[in-house]
Amino acid sequence: MVVKRFTALLAYALSLCLCGEAAAPTWPSSVDELEDIMMLNNGYRARGFPNIVSPCFTEALGPDRIPAAEWIRTAFHDMATGNVYLGTGGLDASLVFELGGDNIGSAFQTSLTTFAPFLTSRSSMADIIAMGVYAAVRSCGGPVIPIKTGRVDATEAGPPGVPLPQNSIQTFQNQFLRTGFDTSQMIAVTACGHTLGGVHAGNFPDIVAPGTVPNDVKDFDSTIKFDEKIASEYVAGKSRDPLTAGISTAVGKDSDFRVFNADGNATIASLADPATFASTCQAMLQKMIEVVPSGVTLTDPIVPYEVKPVALQLSLQSGGNEIQFSGEIRIRTTSRPASQISSVQLVYKDRSGGSDCGACNIAATTKGTAAGFDDSFTFYAFSTTIPSQSSISAFNVLITLASGATETYDNNGNGYPIQDNVMLQADQSCVTSSQLTVTAAVRSPATSANLVLTLKVPRDGIITPALQSQTVELTQQSTIGPYNIVTGTYTLDSSQVQTTKFDITSGQSSDSFKSTGDLGTTCQPLDSGGSSPTSSTSSASPPTSAPPTSSEPSSSSTTDTASPTTLQTSTIPSSTDSSPSSSA
């Protein structure tokens, strides 16, 4: 029976391995925001998500804490009350409502506070918690945990049921079985979770006596990295895990001993092998973060784009005869270094899909570089004007190598789409004090548009804000060339001035996922005649340090790339005199 159980565990681990080449993603996608968070750790446009857990031994939170261990534990505690038979709970961010009680200690509050700035309509808190497992394990030298997205955040606390040190082995087995883990998998995921960190005397004085160990923390094993020592030291009889020996045995809280011994030490003995530990933990932690409520459909695992458009923006220029087209192209340089790239060009189609655009080529120049745990990227920026009548509908990216060879990226045969039916006029939009003014150009015959705000609304006693959707009607102010200029205003709370995302929609078209933090404080006029300004009307480039909000607005694509985050919604009309709207 023991052999069969471990064989089944190995088979499950192998079934989840990332074998072969993953399919190239098609842009835009619902994973785009989370792909940025996952891939851009440092450098240009860095998101800086893993900063607090990297390096693994960082003392960013003090000498008694290992943030990477806390991130893994946060995900486990959020998942642990799920029920795969009823299809309830799992990794759904219900932990934000469940602090205290079975979830004691500052680790959970600190982790959730760190995650909160990354919460958007395209990155749910549950997905961010899952991403935390990937970042924590990778920063400590562990395997790549595949990350699927699409989790939906809970709106209230789930039932109790987090495994506690004093539980009997039968209770543990029932609790883990409820979340989909058999006995061998229970042992494995416990070992994988306890390869980092330890037990704090302040939280569990009957497991670790205060004043008996440095910083009042007893580590689970002898290393601060994601390795097999939790298992090999236990098997060798040299365990320092306070949940296997010491004063915890006198009060029946030696839970790791009971769990590891549940199958006669067969599984824990197998995990003493470094390769087996890594592959098994990769599978078990992936399984852990994929326990989700029924009705939630997860995407394929995130893989990096080879070529990804960034911050694309179309903006009507003075006189209406030209459109400014600006943005960046992010190229993955992990296997093909930037030094081998001679040039990057966009080859585009006009708005009817033809070539009524002359050469139809746009040159891009090096802007900056960035890197993640396993990949590197170079950004190439461009800015040009195109005729507003013929405009643009899609483009391919042509890379010319130093050798003279060329590579064409066509977004899986679709081209990289961009629409010109509705466009944010960034220079004509601004945030003055707390008043947001948004101006957009909508292509005739449309004469109106909607501004859809995603507001972060603080909640009493809850670490993370709620996301609230507010729709404002934009009304016509003038006509310039083939476009009608529409404007609206909204009064933001002071906490929302830098954190609000917004879309501008007209019919089926949308210029989406813009940030108030990218707007200036003065709205510039747009003339109906005269020469076009030479400055770009796209959002300013973000700083190279990690911003607290997204630096990756999507293109002006009609594709809906939002994640299934639940929003509260309301609609208000815009005043024709552009007076401030009252905040909901």
Side-chain angles (χ1 to χ4, degrees), residues 533-550:
T534 56
S535 62
S536 170
T537 60
S538 64
S539 302
S541 297
T544 55
S545 59
T549 59
S550 169

Side-chain angles (χ1 to χ4, degrees), residues 26 75 79 124 240 369 423 441 540:
T26 298
M79 178 282 304
S124 69
R240 59 178 64 195
T369 61
M423 309 179 300

